[in-house]
Amino acid sequence: QVQAVESGGGLVQPGGSLRLSCVAAIRDFNHFLMRWYRQAPGRQLEEVAGITGGGTINYADSVKGRFTISRDNAKNMVYLQMNNLKPEDTAVYYCNAPAAPLAWGQGTQVTVSS
């Protein structure tokens, strides 16, 4: 099964920015809803943002106005631009497609700390 591959995480100070990328080498990528998730230590997996193949977008309330999800269907890529990062955004970030044959990747660690 094809596995998602996330990248772009790192250590950033509060107020900083990061751009996460995810490649999902699945057929008919443009047909599938793609989501970013995150999991902080000791907490459940949380949906962060989603984008349909046609570009309809939704965000968790906790990231609205700070995060922007986008996709490039020609490249099978989905992105998460994260601005004004807060310590509570610290987590491992994953992408996935709930309805697609796509395995969970390793995720990318985002740490927000001064």
Side-chain angles (χ1 to χ4, degrees):
Q1 193 175 21
V2 174
Q3 189 175 44
V5 180
E6 302 91 350
S7 62
L11 173 63
V12 63
Q13 292 186 344
S17 297
L18 285 172
R19 187 188 192 219
L20 307 184
S21 299
C22 169
V23 59
I26 54 176
R27 291 184 62 180
D28 300 320
F29 172 84
N30 58 302
H31 290 179
F32 293 105
L33 165 69
M34 295 297 299
R35 285 203 176 116
W36 282 99
Y37 303 81
R38 65 186 180 186
Q39 187 164 28
R43 301 192 66 176
Q44 290 187 331
L45 193 68
E46 174 189 17
E47 292 181 13
V48 175
I51 182 168
T52 68
T56 300
I57 290 171
N58 69 284
Y59 296 101
D61 287 344
S62 58
V63 306
K64 280 180 182 176
R66 300 188 298 121
F67 290 11
T68 303
I69 189 172
S70 61
R71 66 190 293 161
D72 184 337
N73 289 332
K75 297 180 179 179
N76 283 41
M77 298 286 293
V78 62
Y79 305 98
L80 188 68
Q81 177 67 42
M82 306 187 296
N83 297 328
N84 190 22
L85 282 160
K86 304 176 180 181
E88 52 263 43
D89 295 317
T90 295
V92 179
Y93 285 71
Y94 304 89
C95 74
N96 209 315
L102 182 65
W104 289 91
Q106 298 297 311
T108 187
Q109 175 71 49
V110 171
T111 302
V112 185
S113 175
S114 55

